[in-house]
Amino acid sequence: MTAKVLIVEDEAALAEMLRYNLEAEGYAVRHTARGDDAEMMVAEEHPDLVLLDWMLPEVSGIEICRRIRSRPDSRNVPILMLTARGEEGDRIRGLSTGADDYVVKPFSLPELMARIRAILRRAAPDRIADVLAMGDISLDRAAHRVTRGAREVRLGPTEFRLLEFLMESPGRVLSRAQLLDGVWGRDAYVDERTVDVHIGRLRKALIRGKEHDPVRTVRGSGYMLDMEPVN
Ligand code: CA
């Protein structure tokens, strides 16, 4: 089953970027730039998640959040607020009004995607793919199991989460900062060298003998998963 995401955002370019990336991850996406439309769309279309901009013309995101929460037919829909930097007080107000989480603009896309998945995993676990596959590597989220070909790959919890995060962004280079945000969380006090250490452990676990190294180091940028051998 496909998870449905409703984007409520009046910046057209941002909305389009979000739509593109959410559709690329397999979500069914609807979009409106207007808060009052959003209220109707939530009630009628029952999205699995609402991505709600804080600053909307006419009716604010926070008011929309309050209205969505006050209706019996939309009371439980997960809401992720998009707020601008420096709205600390607003953010707290947002959470107390019933938003499930928030990200601060400008946000990193992998972090936003990770937060969306985290919310959906709690709220609609049957709509998130349990098994990620890439080349001969397969990662089963429910069973917490990784295989390469027929072989089971034993990973510690951090390496597991690192591999999961990389597999969720196929073909994309992730910076050390993005990996830190997505795997360790943005409040963790971990320096970027820690990422390299855990990437090293992940590689060691994934590669046996002459097997292709799927973790590509992109000099000056970060890491990506790539199943095509480089020659
Ligand atoms: Ca806005």
Side-chain angles (χ1 to χ4, degrees):
M1 283 240 264
T2 308
K4 295 183 283 184
V5 178
L6 173 65
I7 303 170
V8 188
E9 171 59 73
D10 60 310
E11 283 169 56
L14 178 57
E16 195 45 47
M17 185 276 279
L18 290 170
R19 175 197 284 278
Y20 175 83
N21 283 282
L22 286 164
E23 286 180 347
E25 287 215 16
Y27 298 107
V29 178
R30 296 272 286 150
H31 167 244
T32 177
R34 297 178 56 97
D36 41 1
D37 285 348
E39 198 188 338
M40 293 285 289
M41 287 167 84
V42 171
E44 285 170 7
E45 298 176 16
H46 305 289
D48 296 294
L49 178 88
V50 181
L51 213 49
L52 180 60
D53 181 29
W54 177 276
M55 296 294 285
L56 292 166
E58 295 168 39
V59 191
S60 75
I62 203 69
E63 175 58 22
I64 295 306
C65 183
R66 191 176 293 125
R67 290 186 195 172
I68 289 171
R69 282 285 174 262
S70 68
R71 294 174 68 130
D73 52 359
S74 61
R75 179 168 294 154
N76 297 319
V77 65
I79 298 175
L80 197 158
M81 299 276 316
L82 305 175
T83 78
R85 203 168 285 282
E87 293 173 333
E88 288 291 341
D90 288 351
R91 280 190 253 156
I92 292 158
R93 208 145 54 89
L95 291 177
S96 68
T97 312
D100 293 81
D101 200 358
Y102 65 88
V103 292
V104 181
K105 294 178 181 178
F107 48 80
S108 94
L109 191 61
E111 186 195 343
L112 176 67
M113 292 296 175
R115 280 169 187 272
I116 288 173
R117 278 188 300 268
I119 292 175
L120 287 173
R121 211 172 281 151
R122 287 197 300 272
D126 54 322
R127 309 228 173 170
I128 288 282
D130 270 346
V131 179
L132 297 173
M134 202 174 174
D136 59 354
I137 298 171
S138 157
L139 180 147
D140 186 331
R141 290 172 158 139
H144 246 257
R145 188 162 179 265
V146 174
T147 55
R148 180 156 200 194
R151 171 171 68 87
E152 177 147 8
V153 179
R154 297 193 182 282
L155 297 176
T158 303
E159 286 72 38
F160 183 91
R161 182 70 200 112
L162 194 52
L163 180 62
E164 183 184 19
F165 197 63
L166 286 164
M167 288 179 86
E168 283 167 345
S169 306
R172 202 179 286 157
V173 180
L174 297 175
S175 69
R176 288 173 178 81
Q178 287 172 329
L179 290 165
L180 277 178
D181 275 354
V183 176
W184 282 265
R186 70 174 137 199
D187 301 322
Y189 293 96
V190 183
D191 78 71
E192 298 193 352
R193 257 195 38 79
T194 306
V195 175
D196 301 335
V197 171
H198 287 274
I199 286 279
R201 287 187 195 155
L202 175 60
R203 272 202 176 110
K204 197 156 174 272
L206 284 174
I207 303 166
R208 284 283 177 277
K210 287 187 164 29
E211 277 177 336
H212 162 64
D213 178 359
V215 185
R216 191 191 291 185
T217 306
V218 182
R219 199 173 294 274
S221 300
Y223 296 100
M224 71 184 286
L225 268 198
D226 187 353
M227 298 311 296
E228 297 297 319
V230 194
N231 286 316

